[in-house]
Amino acid sequence: MNGPRTTKEALVRFTVGATLLASLAGCVGKISGAGGGSSGPPGSSGSSGSGGTAGTGGPDIGSIDINAAGTDSVSPAFTRRLTKTEVANSIAALTGVTPTSVAMLPDDALDFEFDRVAQSQTVIDRHIQGYLAIGDEVVKALSDAQLATLAPACTTVDRNCAQSLIDTLGKRAFRGPVAPEQTAAMLALFDGAGTARDGVNQVIRFILQSPSFIYLIERGTPVANNPGILALTDYELAARLSFFSCETVPDATLMAAADAGQLHTADQLATQATRLFGLPCAHQTVQAFYTQWFHLDRTATIMPDTTALPLFTPDARQGMIDEDNQFLSYLTWQSSGTLASIFNADFSFVDSRLGAIYGMTGLGSTPAKTQMPPERRGLLTHASILVTLSNPTATSPVRRGAYVYKKILCGDIPLPPPTLDTTPPKDDPTKTTRQRYALRTEVGVCATCHSLMNPIGYTMENFDPIGQVRTTDNGQPIDATGSVPSLNITGLDGGASLGIALADRDELRLCFARKWLRFGLGRMESQTDVTSLRPLVDMARQQSTLKDMMVALSRTYAFSHRAVPPDPGVSP
Amino acid sequence: MNDSKKANRRLFLKGAAGASLALPFLPSLAARLGHAQAVATKKRVIFIYMPHQETDGFAPDANFSFASSYLSPVATNYSARMLVMNNMKTLGQGHAGGHTEWLTGFPGGDDYRPTQGPSLDVYMSNKLQGQTPLPLINFSMSWRTVINNGVTSWNPGPTPTAVPAINNPPEAFSSVFTGGSSGTPAQPSQALVLQGSLLDALQKDYQRVDGLLSAGDRILLDQHLSLIRDQETRLQNAIAHPFSCAAGGGAPAMNLSWQDTLRSFMDSIVGAFRCDATRIATLQLGCSGDDSNYTFVNPAATNYHDNVAHASPELVAEVRKWQMQQIAYLCDQLAAVPDGAGGTLLDSTLIACLPELGWFPASGVLAYIDSTGRMQTTDNNHLRFQVPAVLIGSSGGFFKTGRFVDMMQTHYHDLLITLAHAMDFTEVTTWGTNGTGVLSQLLA
């Protein structure tokens, strides 16, 4: 956190903004958890635990009390747009064309960490230009012969071919039957074009730019005794399952299940989810989840001062990226990895590129499962995390602490007010980084918030700015003792102790459940979702595997329902 | 990765554009030119967003010499065209305040959105609608173009929506050089006609789906629908007034170096001005609180925010000097294109370099007069108590150039009004929260 600046990227685009911008008057740091119980900070159970508040305002994304009673309900969100990845995957699945002009679309906003959160989405002119360009590129890339592979009647390019494309390509792209008005509009486009091929091209362009393709439109059916809540239709659930697991349009199996009306019970959904999470495409989706949750993409671009820290070579950087990917992939897919194991595993996947930084010898040239020295336990002690949360020549206990507090524990903490001078502490060769930060941030108004974050970051001070274990800093002995004040965790010493301490906390379990729901459903979560979050937290308590927990979201009430969003005219 | 090859690709674009951008002299176009000349010289403006603060070495000396000023790269050839000023008052403070106030005069809060729009570039662009084929073009060196701290151009109204910049050279190129074919089409192309009917059908489909959804669910779809309508309006305009800004050559390569990227944007702006595709351009040298890597200027400049703006006034000056070298390049390109009777594009273009933050001395302590008239000091280099600006070009003799003016705490919002008047938007009499009139001390 280096100033009132670019880190403030959470834009207020929907009513959640109002609850995001906590009062700056006092630092009311909040971590979700067992509110009212032993582990929550004082006051953390303050938010309402009542369910069924859909339609009455924006979701409260502050603290969530996982033990509070609640009736089945869901937090509202407006219709979301497909992400760039989803557009690219879907068009490839539908047409076999991989359009490069997807790159013209603006990058998806990451205000709420994930690229698919409805509340962070807007539409700008470049979307329109991009969709037009994608449509043009696809029709140009499709030969007449390829058309025949898309729709049976297209062995001849004529009006029957257009109708056939509407019935097959259109239905899959729209994840359900094409509306009669849409069919009429497309046939009119066909008739108004110069040649039959021009006409067919118009039909394909329409399909790829219709709201039925670009937006996840869910109308559902009203639920008795639960006003404002809609149960999704089988087709809508086919789309949810498919984008949730594979970021693409439903496959033939899903569409057939929806056609047959066999896709709405929890068991039906979980059966399909289990099947889909066995496909290679799900691996990519889950990797995207980890990358966005843990902000792993920064490893590729972080620029430490390599004059001062020459061990940070391009090879070492790639070694760090590979370590994270293989570690998380192994835990999720090749073993019975649990959420806890992400944070306390005593092994990782390292090779000789990381040997110098990790002080390990005898490593092979490609990452292999390796027992790690006692200083390193879990992801928080991976070099990637340690380097991306450092300044070029010095560690940043504030960045490291804030990362754990906010991203790993889902804590809320306000940004420094813009009038505050947030220049990082000046270099001082007589002091350790910890001492410099303490002098700068643990005095006056700064201390209110920093006392929640700094003690977490201090535990990682036994790792230098590129993740090497160190015992001194500026010639002084390292002090890596610390705590997690808001969780009453004390007596930590070193990054490994932090990961081990967090691994069995309900706050971590709930944070995972929240992030997975947010990612899986593409919307913000709130207390209203408590009955859907609780099963995931319970599974984590029972050391269920990551994969089983991921699949289990498909069984929840939140997965098969949605809430009508508030009228934007009512909220500011 | 072959830098020289990439540079050549970009230079090729410039050369090709130079060779083929000459306006085809069709009767309708000649008539339009004749009309334009009879009324007034076309005036053009480029707003350049200068991230972070200015520091010691900004101002020329008492003799208007730039020997110890980091503005020297521009001054070397163009000092007579420069109007350098310092010491303007503002309302907005900090990264967010300065950024949002930049062209709107309505500083916003933590969400980096001004409280009200439009920004001056968008205002001008809207006023010129129909006179040029393209609206405002805005290009940015930052990857942040969708989030507010990367947005400098805002639509009209309270809590305005963004007009995001383009941040990659090929896209900037194709936004200007539409189609890439040469010559003006005598008939609107079949592709445009087909796109027109497609947009019409899509409009109806969005309307139909909108009708099925609740007001809350329509938020994105409504935005989408109105943008499709805009696109259709532009398209109908293009069909009615065929326009050619043919490049003749290829688009710039992807992954250019930082300098080549910036220069490619500049080339596209010059190309757009040359064929009068637009007269308003905004060029962001970065986003608010920019954290780009400037190690090619100095190895220590790994992060503009952390290791330059917050670390070293000397580095701030070094990065500024490099930026001024690029702006000199822009001037050179404009000066190379004939425009009107014996003049060049540089004569008809006003370049306004306006900073995100204020001037902050290398000593680290800024003395200023507070609102009660008392002298205060601060070590916060994010304050905008003394905002400088550099104008290049007289805007058709509107400004008295070739001098340095101490603005004596007159208001920055009045500078925005003055810039509007320089561009002949004399209907602007107030701007932002505090703008009340033209700054007469700047005029010729």
Side-chain angles (χ1 to χ4, degrees), chain A residues 403-524:
Chain A
Y403 174 88
V404 171
Y405 187 87
K406 297 204 293 197
K407 286 186 80 72
I408 307 301
L409 295 171
C410 291
D412 275 352
I413 211 153
L415 287 153
T419 48
L420 216 59
D421 178 9
T422 52
T423 314
K426 296 244 185 301
D427 273 343
D428 181 343
T430 69
K431 292 189 173 63
T432 65
T433 306
R434 176 175 184 155
Q435 288 165 340
R436 290 190 295 119
Y437 271 86
L439 283 171
R440 185 81 173 83
T441 62
E442 289 175 17
V443 292
V445 63
C446 303
T448 337
C449 290
H450 280 276
S451 62
L452 296 172
M453 305 181 286
N454 293 16
I456 306 174
Y458 290 150
T459 66
M460 300 155 96
E461 275 294 276
N462 60 326
F463 297 102
D464 80 357
I466 58 169
Q468 298 184 87
V469 171
R470 64 176 177 180
T471 54
T472 61
D473 179 18
N474 267 343
Q476 311 246 21
I478 280 290
D479 176 2
T481 59
S483 60
V484 186
S486 47
L487 303 190
N488 297 322
I489 296 175
T490 56
L492 300 178
D493 190 355
S497 71
L498 175 67
I500 290 166
L502 295 179
D504 68 350
R505 294 296 298 220
D506 266 0
E507 291 83 359
L508 173 71
R509 295 169 184 139
L510 174 57
C511 192
F512 165 81
R514 290 178 61 167
K515 305 277 177 172
W516 183 244
L517 185 145
R518 187 186 302 180
F519 178 86
L521 302 185
R523 65 165 174 82
M524 295 305 293

Side-chain angles (χ1 to χ4, degrees), chain A residues 15 20 241 247 261 271 348 383 402 412 415 436 487 515 528 546:
Chain A
T15 45
L20 260 185
L241 272 174
E247 303 177 279
T271 300
S348 191
D412 275 352
L415 287 153
R436 290 190 295 119
L487 303 190
K515 305 277 177 172
T528 312
L546 285 159

Side-chain angles (χ1 to χ4, degrees), chain A residues 14 23-24 65 108 190 218 222 291 305 329 360 510-511 538:
Chain A
F14 193 49
S23 161
L24 289 169
D65 179 354
D108 296 301
F190 177 88
E218 296 169 333
T291 299
D305 182 339
S329 170
M360 297 167 75
L510 174 57
C511 192
D538 284 340

Side-chain angles (χ1 to χ4, degrees), chain A residues 2 4-6 8-9 78-79 121 123-126 129 182 202 209-211 215 217 303 399 562, chain B residues 95 110 112 144 149 164-165 171 194 205-206 208-209 216-217 220 223-224 231 234 288 293 305-306:
Chain A
N2 267 282
R5 61 143 190 162
T6 52
K8 179 65 196 84
E9 284 167 7
F78 57 71
T79 299
Q121 291 188 332
V123 189
I124 61 173
D125 196 48
R126 282 171 60 202
Q129 304 295 335
Q182 291 174 318
Q202 290 284 81
Q209 292 174 67
S210 166
Y215 293 90
I217 292 164
M303 300 280 285
R399 280 187 189 172
R562 76 184 303 257
Chain B
H95 285 294
D110 271 0
Y112 282 81
R144 299 177 177 88
N149 62 13
E171 208 182 309
L194 286 176
D205 200 28
Y206 277 85
R208 183 188 65 83
V209 173
D217 264 327
L220 293 182
Q223 291 173 13
H224 201 123
Q231 174 69 18
R234 282 201 294 272
S288 176
N293 179 333
H305 178 270
D306 295 3

Side-chain angles (χ1 to χ4, degrees), chain B residues 33 36-38 40-42 44 337-345 347-348:
Chain B
L33 283 172
Q37 278 165 351
T41 311
K42 285 171 200 147
R44 303 171 170 99
V337 181
D339 180 50
T344 71
L345 276 185
D347 298 320
S348 60

Side-chain angles (χ1 to χ4, degrees), chain A residues 214-225:
Chain A
I214 291 174
Y215 293 90
L216 274 165
I217 292 164
E218 296 169 333
R219 296 174 58 208
T221 53
V223 176
N225 303 322

